[in-house]
Amino acid sequence: MTKAEKVDFTISTLQDLYPTIPVPLEHKDPYTLLIAVLMSAQSTDVRVNQITPLLFAQADNPYDMVKLSVEEIRDIIRPVGLSPMKSKGIHGLSKILIEKYNGEVPKDIALLEEFPAVGHKTASVVVAQAFGIPAFPVDTHIHRLMYRWGFTNGKNVVQTEKDAKRLFPKELWNDLHLQIIWYGREYSPARGWNLEKDVITKSIGRKTILNSYYSKQTKTYK
C-alpha cells in the first residue's frame, strides 16, 4: 500500500469501529472540560471521572471555584495525583478567567496555554471537544500508534502532531484523535498487545515493529 492508501485504510477502519465516538472525560461545558482535562495529566480518565463530580458539586464554574482555597481543591482532587500542581492551576486559571475573560473559556489555543497548568495538549483538547475547532491533541496512545503505523518518525509529540495534521484531512482531526485513542486502548495497547486483534497495525504497521513482535512471540513459544 502507498502512504495515501494506508491513511485511507486507517480512516475507514476507525470509522467502521467507532461510528459514534464517546468523549472520555465527563463534562457539561467548556469550563468543566478544561478542569477535567487538566486533572487527567498522568492519571486515568476513569479516575478523573470519579473525582470531578465531587469537585463540581462544590464548584462547577470559576466564580464558585475561587471561593474554595487551593488546599480545599487539593483535598478533593488528591486521588488523581499531582494534586499540589493541579489545585494551584485550577484555582489560578479560574481567577484569570474571571479577571480577563468574564468567566468564559477562550476558544484560542494560544490563550489557553497562558493559563497555569495548561499545556498544548490540554488546550488542544478543549478547543476540539468544547468548540469543535480542528486540533489534533497527541497523547501517549496516538504517539505510539502513529509510530507503529509508520506515519511518523517523531521522537516527541510535537513532531507526531505535525505529521498527523499533514497526513489526515483537517475536517477529520477532531474525530480521529478520539478514535485513535479508543483504538489504542482496545486493540493496540503498550502492554498485553495482541497483534492478531490489531487489524490496522497488522495490515500497515512499520516492518521493524512487526518483525520485533513476531520475534518475541517466537521466543515465547520456544
Side-chain angles (χ1 to χ4, degrees):
M1 275 192 264
T2 65
K3 178 68 73 72
E5 287 171 337
K6 289 179 178 180
V7 169
D8 288 343
F9 173 77
T10 300
I11 292 170
S12 63
T13 302
L14 290 171
Q15 288 176 337
D16 285 344
L17 287 170
Y18 306 104
T20 57
I21 310 161
V23 175
L25 292 168
E26 294 171 12
H27 64 282
K28 67 173 186 174
D29 56 22
Y31 177 75
T32 52
L33 176 64
L34 174 59
I35 300 304
V37 179
L38 185 159
M39 286 171 57
S40 71
Q42 296 186 39
S43 188
T44 65
D45 294 342
V46 171
R47 178 60 59 85
V48 172
N49 286 336
Q50 290 170 342
I51 301 303
T52 47
L54 306 177
L55 178 63
F56 296 151
Q58 304 244 6
D60 62 358
N61 62 80
Y63 297 95
D64 287 335
M65 194 67 76
V66 295
K67 293 175 186 174
L68 300 175
S69 67
V70 172
E71 291 72 25
E72 287 173 319
I73 297 170
R74 183 180 176 183
D75 284 343
I76 296 169
I77 71 168
R78 196 182 301 273
V80 302
L82 303 179
S83 59
M85 179 270 289
K86 292 176 182 178
S87 56
K88 286 178 186 173
I90 291 168
H91 195 276
L93 73 81
S94 299
K95 194 166 180 242
I96 294 170
L97 282 173
I98 294 167
E99 292 173 350
K100 289 184 68 175
Y101 301 103
N102 296 316
E104 298 291 326
V105 176
K107 300 180 180 181
D108 187 295
I109 287 178
L111 294 178
L112 288 167
E113 288 177 343
E114 294 176 358
F115 292 157
V118 175
H120 180 69
K121 190 191 92 171
T122 295
S124 298
V125 170
V126 171
V127 300
Q129 294 181 15
F131 302 116
I133 297 168
F136 212 109
V138 173
D139 74 344
T140 54
H141 296 290
I142 294 173
H143 189 53
R144 178 178 70 253
L145 267 57
M146 286 286 290
Y147 184 80
R148 280 183 178 175
W149 296 341
F151 290 158
T152 185
N153 290 314
K155 301 296 182 188
N156 56 61
V157 295
V158 175
Q159 185 60 48
T160 299
E161 181 180 333
K162 284 181 183 174
D163 291 333
K165 287 180 171 179
R166 179 175 52 82
L167 287 170
F168 295 118
K170 191 171 185 177
E171 65 271 17
L172 299 181
W173 289 356
N174 288 355
D175 284 351
L176 279 171
H177 98 262
L178 284 173
Q179 288 168 326
I180 295 172
I181 288 170
W182 286 113
Y183 185 89
R185 290 175 178 175
E186 293 189 58
Y187 300 101
S188 195
R191 297 176 183 173
W193 178 33
N194 182 350
L195 183 59
E196 297 308 311
K197 295 179 180 177
D198 182 354
V199 63
I200 297 178
T201 309
K202 190 176 180 183
S203 301
I204 66 160
R206 185 184 294 272
K207 284 189 171 56
T208 53
I209 294 286
L210 298 178
N211 291 340
S212 172
Y213 179 89
Y214 288 124
S215 173
K216 287 176 183 173
Q217 294 300 108
T218 302
K219 287 176 184 174
T220 300
Y221 291 118
K222 276 186 177 178

